[in-house]
Amino acid sequence: MRSPAEPRAVPRRRRRPPLLLLLLLLTNFVPSFGKETLRTTAVTPQFEQHMDYVDFIHLNVLEKKVLNNSEVSVQYLCSKPCIINLEAVASSEFRTGVPVYRRRWKDEKNLYISRTRKVHLKFPSIMVYRDDYIIRNSIIVHSVIVYAWLSHKSVSSYDVEQNEDYQDAVAKNYTFLEAVPPFERPYKDHKVCLQWGADYLWMLQANRIPQCPHESDGVQILNFIYASSGEKTGIMKKFEQFENRELETVRQHQIDYPMFTVSIWLYLLHHCEKDLCGILYFIDPKEMYSTPAVFLNEEGYVHIQMHLMRGDDLAVKTSFSLPLKQWFRLDLSFKGGQVEVSTVGKNLKRHHHQSFTFREDFYYDDTAGYFVLGGSGYVNGIEAFFGPVKYYRLNVLETEQISNPLHDKETVEQIELYYERCMDIQEIVYEYRYIVRQGEKALRNCYYENYYLELIYKYGEKSKCDAFMWGKELREKYHTLFKLLQEMDFSAPDVLEDGSDTVLEVGRRIFEKVAKGLSSADGLSNMGSSVPLLVDSSCCGYHKASYFLAVIFETGLGVSVDHTKGLLYSLVGAQGNERLAVMNLGYKHYQGINNYPLDLELSYAYYSNIAIKTSLDQHTIKGEQAFVETIRLMDDELLKAQTKENGDVFMWLKHEATRGNAAAQQRLAQMLFWGQQGVAKNPEAAIEWYAKGAIETEDPVLIYDYAIVLFKGQGVKKNTKLALELMKKAAAKGLPQAVNGLGWYYHNFKRDYRKAAEHWLIAEELGNPDASYNLGVLYLDGIYPGVPGRNQTVAARYFYKAAQGGHIEGTLRCSLYYITGNMEDFPRDPEKAVIWAKHIAEKNGYLGHVIRKALNAYLELSWHEALLHYVLAAETGIEVSQSNLAHICEERPDLARKYLATDCVWRYYNFSVSQVNAPSFAYLKMGDFYYYGYQNQSKDLELSMRMYAQAALEGDSQGFFNLALVIEEGNSIPSYILDHLEIDRALHSTNTSLLQELYYRCWNNSNQESISPCSLALLYFYMRVFWNNILQSTLIYFMGTFLLSILVAFAVQYFQALSAHNSPGTRSEPSSDEPSSSGNSNEDATRLVQQDESTFSNNLSQQQSNPQNPLVTS
């Protein structure tokens, strides 16, 4: 059950694209109607003689593999009658350049028109199918090249062999196809009925044909270092049956006689604090431990548990303990009832070995469940770094035979050096504190005998320890630490007697001093001197400093980029349970960026850790937490709504709340309770407003919220009786969450599951996700009234329904189902599991605090602090922080260039568009970058179109507008992008129909109540089409000639009448200029009409042949 209602900030944006482009387009082309002409043109439109048409041919292969019936799309244009040739040439180990497919066709009619023809390639069976009783020897193909070319040879030479055509072709192109290994190819359906004898002979010989398995029983469970913090989260791996029939047969035979080997590299920091901690174990479909289950106990011994065939379990313990703070390899092999355990050092020399033999048969089926490395919901993980983990599913190997090397030796050594240094620092801090305390105790005893000296001790300057027991070499090595220790007051109450707490407190003080300096004006300029202090803070166990160091070295924030150190401090921070460091690793492994391998199971291990903490943190009102709000720096309206305790918005809400406005009281209480909208978190003040609103306004939401804090005692003394009265009162008013709250009361306080279920069913019908989750818990625990036993299937359905409503715990449950694949309704989907866990982790209040600090710094124009905290938030994978940071770098490029070694704008907009919830403006930005070629990045027209298409799918009219302009400039949009936009394939063939569809969608997605660029573009498009149709119709020439004839007849009649009127004897001579002027006018009119036609055609051809024009964006 959650704390008071959590509002969600809904960002709103307004984007106003510039009108300049469309106005220029409209002014550049103004059709003229009714011009006089003395000439007419042919009915069929003729192409201009001086215009050049370039022949071309392009190849597009949907799946670039050597498959039978592969589809190739050939796009070409011929300016003369031409012959199109298509040829595939293969190369193998013994022969090269062997033609395996040829196709030719001629085209005499479709000149000056781009044509597309689909061809299905047919290869020899030995290239595309596996061996069988007809295909005896399939060949291994190294490469296949598909050539396409066209030539202007006469049609009579069509049947003549043209080997020299490709070199002399007018246009040519080629593409490579990827070869498919023989054992990955399908069997061919020959559609023949063999005689009985042939079929029988094949069956006899089939098993004798040598087959190489296309998969191995050796599986690398983990390739990269995993930082295990000792929490109830870990890496979950599921194995499927072998595709190779021989390997699968062996596996099934070994279910009751297991034969397998596991090799695990470890850097152990501590032994298990209590009971057992998980190293590697298997969970069966009934969510029970199975074979093998390997744990670490409090003394450091290895605890190994096996599941027997008869149904119960058996466990043993090694006689040797695992070493601390050194890399070693733990090898375990199982052969029937024999278990071998060994430890090996970095030099691969065996340290310990022990063997166990049992008469019992073990049960082992690694496909019926999932493996876990580290912790899970059933047991805590070990506090360690996992190195590479290798699993041999079917073989028992000796230590020397195991191939599982430590790959990243540099990082491995860095981890060892870090903890060696930290041991020195922690020892110095502990001993220094002890010396100072002893000296103070002696002085205090003296002061108590003298009142004057006692006052000096109380109010005077604290004494410093200037004499050191440490040698000169050590003092020089850690001179910054000794200087800080001298400045610290160890008599303060926050420095506890316990040594470990003292070391952590010293680390906190060092970090706060450094963070304050970095957040000041020009603070980032002192990054070089701050790094050693942060290292000392990290070594003292304060891992906020570790995450700072990780980001500093990863991004080059004030220092040179050092990916090795960035990885080191990310791992150290994550192992120390620093939330932002854990999220950073989860994000990097989810995206596979910055040299972090893409590993969804590893990413889930990190994200699920923070997701679980998010649920717990929301029930804790202490700590540096703030509500995570989606506030974009480009959204002026949301920025204006940000306030503080002395801000206008807050003061107005307070004024309205004092007057008894229920909505104002509710909003004010939420802002104070969760720390929203820029207001500092103040639960005590929030509860006062909850109480005032509940008593005065009778508002059901305020009554419910106040009842919750009374039930839980959050910031106020528990009062169950009053809380129940208020909850019933809110429920009587029809509030769904209050009805759910009553069910929660009967479940937690009265243990009356029948009444709890009744209330939860009512609340669920009202759409309350908390009620759905609570019903699922009843089914999961097997306490639903009238239903015997547990029902995980029904429980999972309720959890899914709760997750759909945004319930945190319900989403967590579903993500677990997706990663394990142990539920029928939840097929294994690691990517979906990561997305759901990431969604919850990004609601963490400690992350919200960092984002809020960044936003406040931005609003106060504290650029250094804003840059620092937005970088910290962006590296955790928070999309809104990534796009905001890119915006700051655009707004202050001088700041980004000075302090960031990476290209800030490119990096973080690129990160943003890789997210599931990326905003449309980020897609548009990246589309422009790919179109123009951003700084040292090369241009990529296809990628830019994909970005514009994605923005269009997000409902942004600018995306459709930019795609239309790409076509206007003579480029073609690939069919798969148009299909992604769900544009009818019938419209793909002509640019006119595509432009009409894109401009219409642009207008449809824009503000239709006002004139927008999309509406002007659509209008201009229709005008061009209309005018072009008029110019190409015979009616305009007939009407022009007819009208001109009438005008000439009237002119002749007028001049004749005028001459007769002037004088019958003397004829009036007309001015010599008039006839020539009239004639010139007619000729100019004719020339203007022809020039308009030519200009329009030239403009279209220039747009088609000039794809380099800049793309105008709004």
Side-chain angles (χ1 to χ4, degrees), residues 665-738:
Q665 289 173 343
Q666 184 181 337
R667 185 72 196 114
L668 198 63
Q670 288 173 345
M671 289 166 65
L672 289 166
F673 193 92
W674 296 105
Q676 294 177 349
Q677 216 167 315
V679 177
K681 197 172 183 180
N682 190 344
E684 291 78 13
I687 290 166
E688 290 179 9
W689 286 110
Y690 282 134
K692 181 179 176 64
I695 295 168
E696 292 181 1
T697 64
E698 297 289 317
D699 182 73
V701 176
L702 286 169
I703 295 171
Y704 166 77
D705 288 341
Y706 187 46
I708 287 291
V709 296
L710 287 173
F711 267 130
K712 296 187 174 183
Q714 292 180 319
V716 68
K717 187 178 179 181
K718 280 187 179 182
N719 190 334
T720 306
K721 184 178 178 181
L722 177 58
L724 180 60
E725 291 177 7
L726 292 171
M727 192 67 75
K728 288 181 176 179
K729 192 174 182 180
K733 292 177 178 288
L735 191 68
Q737 52 263 48

Side-chain angles (χ1 to χ4, degrees), residues 884-1015:
N884 282 350
L885 179 57
H887 176 77
I888 288 177
C889 293
E890 282 186 307
E891 198 172 357
R892 289 292 306 273
D894 56 325
L895 197 71
R897 282 194 298 268
K898 185 175 181 181
Y899 295 113
L900 282 170
T902 55
D903 191 332
C904 175
V905 177
W906 174 268
R907 175 184 175 89
Y908 292 105
Y909 273 133
N910 210 359
F911 283 176
S912 177
V913 297
S914 300
Q915 303 272 27
V916 175
N917 56 338
S920 59
F921 70 83
Y923 289 117
L924 293 173
K925 283 281 186 183
M926 287 306 299
D928 290 346
F929 291 162
Y930 283 122
Y931 188 87
Y932 294 124
Y934 181 77
Q935 293 185 4
N936 59 342
Q937 305 293 334
S938 59
K939 297 181 181 181
D940 194 321
L941 183 61
E942 186 173 345
L943 264 179
S944 74
M945 288 188 284
R946 285 170 59 182
M947 292 293 138
Y948 294 146
Q950 196 60 43
L953 286 173
E954 296 293 324
D956 196 313
S957 59
Q958 186 71 44
F960 290 110
F961 188 81
N962 287 356
L963 285 172
L965 288 182
V966 168
I967 296 177
E968 294 271 21
E969 293 174 356
N971 303 299
S972 59
I973 300 177
S975 295
Y976 73 91
I977 295 179
L978 298 176
D979 291 337
H980 195 54
L981 290 170
E982 297 182 354
I983 294 177
D984 189 355
R985 280 186 169 271
L987 304 176
H988 294 193
S989 56
T990 61
N991 285 347
T992 303
S993 55
L994 264 181
L995 284 171
Q996 181 177 351
E997 180 69 14
L998 291 171
Y999 280 136
Y1000 175 77
R1001 291 195 184 188
C1002 176
W1003 170 77
N1004 198 39
N1005 282 277
S1006 59
N1007 185 4
Q1008 300 178 13
E1009 296 180 358
S1010 61
I1011 298 177
S1012 65
C1014 293
S1015 59

Side-chain angles (χ1 to χ4, degrees), residues 684-926:
E684 291 78 13
I687 290 166
E688 290 179 9
W689 286 110
Y690 282 134
K692 181 179 176 64
I695 295 168
E696 292 181 1
T697 64
E698 297 289 317
D699 182 73
V701 176
L702 286 169
I703 295 171
Y704 166 77
D705 288 341
Y706 187 46
I708 287 291
V709 296
L710 287 173
F711 267 130
K712 296 187 174 183
Q714 292 180 319
V716 68
K717 187 178 179 181
K718 280 187 179 182
N719 190 334
T720 306
K721 184 178 178 181
L722 177 58
L724 180 60
E725 291 177 7
L726 292 171
M727 192 67 75
K728 288 181 176 179
K729 192 174 182 180
K733 292 177 178 288
L735 191 68
Q737 52 263 48
V739 179
N740 172 74
L742 285 176
W744 176 80
Y745 167 78
Y746 286 115
H747 178 273
N748 283 39
F749 291 88
K750 296 296 184 182
R751 295 291 185 265
D752 189 339
Y753 303 131
R754 184 182 59 81
K755 281 191 175 182
E758 288 174 358
H759 283 89
W760 284 338
L761 285 170
I762 295 171
E764 197 223 4
E765 288 180 3
L766 295 172
N768 183 260
D770 289 332
S772 300
Y773 178 79
N774 292 335
L775 287 168
V777 171
L778 290 182
Y779 279 104
L780 188 65
D781 293 343
I783 56 177
Y784 192 91
V787 178
R790 303 175 67 203
N791 192 327
Q792 293 191 57
T793 304
V794 176
R797 290 171 187 163
Y798 276 114
F799 292 148
Y800 185 80
K801 189 172 183 181
Q804 294 294 95
H807 194 275
I808 288 180
E809 287 85 357
T811 307
L812 269 174
R813 291 272 186 184
C814 291
S815 71
L816 180 64
Y817 293 150
Y818 281 122
I819 196 69
T820 62
N822 254 14
M823 296 294 297
E824 275 186 39
D825 296 339
F826 293 83
R828 190 165 192 269
D829 190 339
E831 184 174 7
K832 187 176 286 188
V834 171
I835 291 171
W836 285 40
K838 180 176 184 285
H839 174 70
I840 299 303
E842 290 179 349
K843 296 178 181 291
N844 191 271
Y846 289 90
L847 176 63
H849 177 71
V850 176
I851 297 173
R852 171 49 60 180
K853 287 182 74 173
L855 180 61
N856 288 343
Y858 177 81
L859 294 173
E860 294 168 3
L861 301 181
S862 180
W863 295 104
H864 284 246
E865 186 178 7
L867 182 67
L868 172 65
H869 286 95
Y870 268 126
V871 169
L872 292 172
E875 288 296 311
T876 65
I878 303 296
E879 187 284 318
V880 66
S881 296
Q882 291 172 341
S883 54
N884 282 350
L885 179 57
H887 176 77
I888 288 177
C889 293
E890 282 186 307
E891 198 172 357
R892 289 292 306 273
D894 56 325
L895 197 71
R897 282 194 298 268
K898 185 175 181 181
Y899 295 113
L900 282 170
T902 55
D903 191 332
C904 175
V905 177
W906 174 268
R907 175 184 175 89
Y908 292 105
Y909 273 133
N910 210 359
F911 283 176
S912 177
V913 297
S914 300
Q915 303 272 27
V916 175
N917 56 338
S920 59
F921 70 83
Y923 289 117
L924 293 173
K925 283 281 186 183
M926 287 306 299

Side-chain angles (χ1 to χ4, degrees), residues 534-687:
L534 288 171
V535 172
D536 292 342
S537 175
S538 170
C539 276
C540 290
Y542 198 74
H543 289 296
K544 284 187 179 180
S546 302
Y547 181 61
F548 263 60
L549 289 166
V551 171
I552 288 167
F553 286 116
E554 193 75 48
T555 62
L557 184 61
V559 298
S560 299
V561 173
D562 191 331
H563 291 298
T564 303
K565 287 185 178 179
L567 171 59
L568 167 68
Y569 289 109
S570 289
L571 291 169
V572 168
Q575 199 287 319
N577 240 339
E578 167 55 32
R579 288 165 175 78
L580 272 66
V582 177
M583 288 190 65
N584 171 46
L585 287 175
Y587 171 65
K588 298 296 173 58
H589 285 296
Y590 169 52
Q591 295 287 351
I593 53 179
N594 290 5
N595 299 320
Y596 290 76
L598 176 65
D599 190 329
L600 295 176
E601 286 92 352
L602 184 52
S603 175
Y604 179 80
Y606 290 123
Y607 271 128
S608 61
N609 184 0
I610 304 305
I612 292 170
K613 284 183 171 60
T614 300
S615 176
L616 300 173
D617 291 341
Q618 288 197 349
H619 299 294
T620 306
I621 60 177
K622 296 180 181 179
E624 294 182 334
Q625 296 193 66
F627 190 79
V628 179
E629 300 171 278
T630 304
I631 300 171
R632 303 195 183 277
L633 301 184
M634 293 74 78
D635 194 330
D636 293 333
E637 292 182 6
L638 273 180
L639 290 180
K640 289 176 184 176
Q642 303 308 302
T643 184
K644 288 189 175 182
E645 287 77 356
N646 58 354
D648 293 339
V649 175
F650 186 86
M651 297 303 293
W652 179 83
L653 281 172
K654 190 173 182 180
H655 172 72
E656 289 296 308
T658 307
R659 292 178 57 191
N661 186 320
Q665 289 173 343
Q666 184 181 337
R667 185 72 196 114
L668 198 63
Q670 288 173 345
M671 289 166 65
L672 289 166
F673 193 92
W674 296 105
Q676 294 177 349
Q677 216 167 315
V679 177
K681 197 172 183 180
N682 190 344
E684 291 78 13
I687 290 166

